[in-house]
Amino acid sequence: PGTVLPEDGEVTLTVSTGPEEVEEPEGTEDEAAGSDPEEGADTEEPEAPAECSAQAWDSGATYDAGDRVQYEGRVYEARRWTMAIPPNVGGEWGAWSDQGPC
């Protein structure tokens, strides 16, 4: 940031859609033992795609806590009032909470 690139300079951009999804094998030890999956509070369901009815993120818009947007194939929810901060910036402490793929 703040550096001037010479006219013959070169810029390389790397675009990512996020980490690769890892498929877990079907069946768990609890299921193999014959226990009811609803009994285990720690039973994890695969991440289902979030609803894609959210508007596309707009860098000129302002968002209030709870507003949802689509950005780079994912849905994000504003944690607080925000403006001009892309949803994929800030991680766990950023202005946006990743709600999953869309």
Side-chain angles (χ1 to χ4, degrees):
T3 303
V4 177
L5 186 68
E7 282 188 34
D8 61 339
E10 188 174 306
V11 175
T12 303
L13 298 177
T14 303
V15 179
S16 172
T17 58
E20 291 184 25
E21 293 186 24
V22 178
E23 290 187 32
E24 294 185 21
E26 289 191 30
T28 63
E29 292 178 23
D30 290 339
E31 290 173 351
S35 66
D36 185 357
E38 291 183 14
E39 289 177 14
D42 294 333
T43 303
E44 289 187 30
E45 295 288 326
E47 184 177 12
E51 188 175 318
C52 293
S53 62
Q55 65 184 350
W57 177 74
D58 177 359
S59 63
T62 58
Y63 298 98
D64 292 319
D67 288 348
R68 288 182 174 230
V69 297
Q70 291 182 47
Y71 187 75
E72 295 183 346
R74 300 191 71 79
V75 173
Y76 293 87
E77 183 176 302
R79 289 186 172 124
R80 56 187 168 272
W81 182 92
T82 185
M83 183 175 100
I85 298 174
N88 63 348
V89 173
E92 168 180 6
W93 303 107
W96 296 95
S97 173
D98 188 341
Q99 300 299 303
C102 178

